[in-house]
Amino acid sequence: MITAAIPTNERFRLQALKSLNILDTEYEKEFDDITSLATFICGTEIALISLIDKDRQWFKSKQGLKVSETHRDFSFCAHAILDPENPLIVNDARKDERFRDNPFTQKDKIGIFYAGIPLVDKNGFALGTLCVIDSKPKELSERQLESLKSLANQVTILFELNKKNNDLEKFQRKLKRRNESLKDFARVISHDLKMPLANIISTTDLLKIILNGKLDKESMEYFDYIKTSSFSMSNYISDVLGHYESESLINNKPETFYLNDFLKEIVALLSIKPDFTIHYPENNPILECNRLALKQIFFNLIGNSIKYNDKDQIVICIEANEDEKFYYFKITDNGMGIPKDEIDTIFDLFTTANMVDRNGNKGNGIGLSTVKKLVEKLNGTINVTSQEKVQTTFDFCIQKPI
């Protein structure tokens, strides 16, 4: 018996193999289907997907063999990976000096015939083989060999897909940890900055009272500027916190409620002034959905319809429909509208249309991003159409509980 030589690129080959994170994983149907098909096509007793580790060969899939790994010194596949571009065919191992004294040939008498196709990754490293084995001498037809090569190609594709999925899962876990860190940061900011801002606002009012009549009009206006800026900063902090905490709303269980009663609660929270008219859905449907998440969506959309409205009389119309799977909502206002060149980015975080609200303040680009995130988490979609200086319509849907 001749032990296979170590490939010249062994260190890098092993790194490539380890990067797949596939060694010692559970058996998977996708790989087992391939080895099952290999035994059928080639008419052999055994088929293996064998990966050559440092001191062993480990089988990701096996047909007709009980053991899960063997020592590398006895491996036919260790010889096969030495020539990644060509299959290794051993018609009768008893006549081949490399294998005639191999335990699988002499003692177990299962390794008489062997055909192995190297499994080569995109960087050219032979990681192992797809091989078929039989206890009798055998020859494969050209068609059988080509089919075996095709199956081996499918194995390498599966390896790459598995690696991409693993990398994606790692990235998602990392992103989740980072998102949690941002949430924690937002909470700290909310706690540590909002209280000082409240102190600034109250101190500003106190100073105005104390200094009333002692400063000129322009100087007194600076206090109003400080107060307005402090309120804007406080609202900005609240919106950032709301954005990062919005995902927690998704975990709430569905509730059943009348839509119009629900909308009137939101209008009451917004402290609507008399110059406001809202038309509720005539059908007043009963909804069964995540009430708190939907509340956050409507609160932002109705709030925006009021803030970005330059008409003397604000008018908002809300429509609702449904089918077997989704609830559909439409909110139309007679406000400022959105410029055409900015409508495609209106849902991007921290992106705002180049306009100020009816009080002269510019938005922070958080509210609509939060709305879009919540809608998508509820397995829905949201779209906007707008005619500048005339109206804006938001259409969105959310999936019903399954």
Side-chain angles (χ1 to χ4, degrees):
M1 184 184 80
I2 300 176
T3 303
I6 301 298
T8 55
N9 63 358
E10 179 70 354
R11 182 164 67 91
F12 300 103
R13 188 193 70 80
L14 287 174
Q15 287 178 356
L17 176 60
K18 301 291 185 183
S19 72
L20 293 178
N21 289 319
I22 201 169
L23 289 171
D24 300 307
T25 56
E26 297 291 330
Y27 294 111
E28 299 176 60
K29 185 178 184 299
E30 293 83 357
F31 294 101
D32 290 342
D33 287 344
I34 290 176
T35 51
S36 179
L37 191 56
T39 58
F40 175 77
I41 290 173
C42 298
T44 57
E45 299 163 350
I46 298 171
L48 308 169
I49 294 175
S50 172
L51 298 172
I52 306 302
D53 201 0
K54 183 179 179 181
D55 298 312
R56 61 170 179 158
Q57 63 172 351
W58 177 80
F59 308 129
K60 176 59 182 172
S61 176
K62 57 184 181 177
Q63 300 288 335
L65 192 66
K66 292 183 179 180
V67 298
S68 298
E69 62 180 65
T70 68
H71 199 280
R72 182 170 175 171
D73 288 349
F74 307 133
S75 170
F76 284 52
C77 300
H79 289 267
I81 66 170
L82 297 176
D83 186 5
E85 296 182 1
N86 297 296
L88 173 62
I89 309 295
V90 182
N91 296 318
D92 189 343
R94 297 169 300 182
K95 299 178 181 179
D96 191 310
E97 63 176 350
R98 294 171 296 180
F99 309 111
R100 62 189 176 198
D101 296 326
N102 190 295
F104 296 112
T105 304
Q106 289 296 325
K107 182 180 178 181
D108 298 327
K109 299 186 183 301
I110 58 173
I112 305 302
F113 167 78
Y114 172 90
I117 310 297
L119 301 173
V120 183
D121 72 3
K122 62 183 180 181
N123 295 315
F125 296 116
L127 309 176
T129 72
L130 169 63
C131 65
V132 290
I133 302 171
D134 206 273
S135 60
K136 300 180 293 294
K138 190 177 181 65
E139 289 188 9
L140 295 182
S141 68
E142 185 175 332
R143 186 171 182 179
Q144 285 174 316
L145 187 58
E146 288 302 314
S147 297
L148 196 60
K149 289 178 181 178
S150 296
L151 290 175
N153 185 54
Q154 293 304 308
V155 174
T156 57
I157 290 172
L158 281 176
F159 282 165
E160 186 62 29
L161 287 174
N162 272 9
K163 186 176 187 304
K164 287 180 179 179
N165 287 337
N166 290 336
D167 291 344
L168 181 59
E169 288 177 2
K170 287 181 180 178
F171 176 76
Q172 288 174 333
R173 288 194 294 269
K174 182 178 179 181
L175 193 62
K176 185 177 180 180
R177 290 195 298 270
R178 183 169 295 179
N179 195 38
E180 289 298 324
S181 296
L182 285 171
K183 288 180 183 178
D184 292 339
F185 176 73
R187 293 188 190 100
V188 171
I189 290 294
S190 177
H191 180 271
D192 290 354
L193 290 186
K194 291 194 75 173
M195 184 57 70
L197 285 170
N199 291 336
I200 291 173
I201 293 169
S202 60
T203 302
T204 300
D205 288 336
L206 181 61
L207 286 173
K208 283 184 68 177
I209 294 172
I210 294 173
L211 298 175
N212 186 29
K214 297 180 180 180
L215 296 175
D216 57 30
K217 181 180 179 182
E218 182 178 355
S219 298
M220 293 297 289
E221 287 177 351
Y222 282 116
F223 288 111
D224 291 329
Y225 176 75
I226 293 171
K227 185 175 180 179
T228 300
S229 298
S230 298
F231 272 122
S232 296
M233 178 62 75
S234 181
N235 291 334
Y236 185 85
I237 292 169
S238 296
D239 287 344
V240 170
L241 182 62
H243 179 80
Y244 286 111
E245 290 188 336
S246 61
E247 287 188 7
S248 63
L249 297 176
I250 301 302
N251 299 322
N252 291 300
K253 294 181 179 180
E255 299 179 45
T256 302
F257 53 93
Y258 281 96
L259 177 59
N260 288 4
D261 294 339
F262 165 79
L263 292 172
K264 289 173 183 177
E265 290 178 15
I266 294 173
V267 170
L269 288 173
L270 289 167
S271 302
I272 304 302
K273 296 179 179 179
D275 59 353
F276 173 86
T277 301
I278 183 166
H279 299 288
Y280 299 104
E282 293 182 3
N283 54 343
N284 190 20
I286 298 176
L287 307 184
E288 183 187 1
C289 64
N290 187 327
R291 192 177 190 276
L292 288 177
L294 187 63
K295 183 177 181 180
Q296 187 66 38
I297 293 168
F298 271 110
F299 189 87
N300 277 285
L301 292 178
I302 296 174
N304 272 12
S305 294
I306 297 168
K307 285 169 61 178
Y308 296 99
N309 198 304
D310 54 356
K311 307 301 188 298
D312 292 334
Q313 184 67 26
I314 299 171
V315 180
I316 298 177
C317 297
I318 301 177
E319 302 174 46
N321 291 289
E322 62 182 284
D323 58 23
E324 292 182 358
K325 295 183 177 180
F326 290 90
Y327 293 115
Y328 300 91
F329 305 98
K330 180 184 291 187
I331 301 178
T332 302
D333 64 61
N334 64 335
M336 303 174 184
I338 304 169
K340 287 183 179 180
D341 59 342
E342 296 176 353
I343 201 164
D344 290 338
T345 60
I346 201 68
F347 293 110
D348 294 346
L349 184 61
F350 301 125
T351 299
T352 61
N354 190 23
M355 61 176 70
V356 295
D357 64 23
R358 65 190 289 113
N359 297 317
N361 301 314
K362 190 172 182 180
N364 52 42
I366 299 174
L368 288 179
S369 174
T370 302
V371 166
K372 185 173 188 291
K373 184 169 71 168
L374 283 171
V375 168
E376 291 178 347
K377 289 288 184 180
L378 295 171
N379 298 317
T381 58
I382 184 167
N383 297 288
V384 58
T385 56
S386 185
Q387 185 176 353
E388 205 168 354
K389 302 296 182 182
V390 178
Q391 69 175 35
T392 298
T393 298
F394 286 92
D395 287 285
F396 72 94
C397 66
I398 61 172
Q399 189 177 36
K400 291 182 176 180
I402 298 175

